Amino acid sequence: MKTLVLGGARSGKSRFAEGLARASEGPRTYIATAEPFDEEMRQRIARHREERAAHGWTTLEAPLDPAAALRQAQGFILLDCVTVWLGNLMHHGRDIGGAVDGLREALQETQSRVVLVSNEVGLSIVPENAMARRFRDEQGIANQKLSAAVDEVYFVAAGLPLRLKG
């Protein structure tokens, strides 16, 4: 079973995804995509690592290649977050479309239960600059590609999940 969980910032999407993991037995792997570009993010990443370790997660840091991490992960796999990963790819000048296709291939190859978390960023006004518009567009395209590759899709708003597929 493969699941995509969409939502806005602080919508409860990660909490919902982690709830799906609590229902599973066996090992749990958390594929984390954040890069520590500033001190606040370093502290946030450290806090999240400690929280995951306290709850029995194995963490794989994969800011640029979560597909490779997915191929080596065991048990229940939670990839959080596609949006941060896409931002990393843009920051480093990588091929976003090719990377998303690579992640889709890795999803198809694994027999593990996988939950992907991603932001829905297209519900607001059109951004004022070209880079922000490109990011919004790439995120929307990635979400469409990933939703086509999974068994179920949820949209989370205000902590409430709405099943869109499956």
Side-chain angles (χ1 to χ4, degrees), residues 31 60 65-74 77 101-110 112:
I31 300 175
L60 298 176
D65 194 0
L70 184 60
R71 287 184 175 100
Q72 73 180 47
Q74 300 289 319
I77 302 166
D101 290 343
L103 181 58
R104 285 182 62 195
E105 290 171 15
L107 276 172
Q108 293 169 349
E109 293 168 10
T110 185
S112 293

Side-chain angles (χ1 to χ4, degrees), residues 16-75:
F16 175 73
E18 290 170 3
L20 296 174
R22 282 192 289 281
S24 71
E25 298 200 14
R28 294 181 297 185
T29 302
Y30 197 108
I31 300 175
T33 61
E35 284 189 291
F37 289 117
D38 59 38
E39 184 56 31
E40 185 274 336
M41 186 56 95
R42 274 188 275 288
Q43 291 175 10
R44 183 182 292 234
I45 290 169
R47 186 176 64 251
H48 285 208
R49 279 184 193 139
E50 290 173 12
E51 290 170 2
R52 289 191 299 266
H55 291 97
W57 289 92
T58 297
T59 299
L60 298 176
E61 304 286 344
L64 294 173
D65 194 0
L70 184 60
R71 287 184 175 100
Q72 73 180 47
Q74 300 289 319

Side-chain angles (χ1 to χ4, degrees), residues 1 10 14 21-22 58 71 83 88 93 97 100 105 116-117 125 130 134-135 138 149 157 166:
M1 174 75 72
R10 295 290 179 239
S14 292
R22 282 192 289 281
T58 297
R71 287 184 175 100
T83 306
N88 296 343
V100 171
E105 290 171 15
L116 308 169
V117 176
I125 61 172
R134 178 175 170 238
F135 180 79
E138 294 285 2

Side-chain angles (χ1 to χ4, degrees), residues 3 11 16 18-19 22 33 41 52 86 88-89 94 106 110 126 130 133 138 141-142 156-157 165-166:
T3 302
S11 63
F16 175 73
E18 290 170 3
R22 282 192 289 281
T33 61
M41 186 56 95
R52 289 191 299 266
L86 294 182
N88 296 343
L89 294 174
R94 302 283 180 94
T110 185
V126 175
R133 286 189 298 274
E138 294 285 2
I141 292 165
V156 180
K165 176 182 177 181

Side-chain angles (χ1 to χ4, degrees), residues 117-147:
V117 176
S118 188
N119 285 47
E120 177 53 69
V121 300
L123 297 174
S124 186
I125 61 172
V126 175
E128 67 179 23
N129 67 73
M131 184 173 79
R133 286 189 298 274
R134 178 175 170 238
F135 180 79
R136 180 219 39 209
D137 294 349
E138 294 285 2
Q139 180 68 66
I141 292 165
N143 286 344
Q144 289 181 53
K145 286 181 174 182
L146 294 172
S147 70

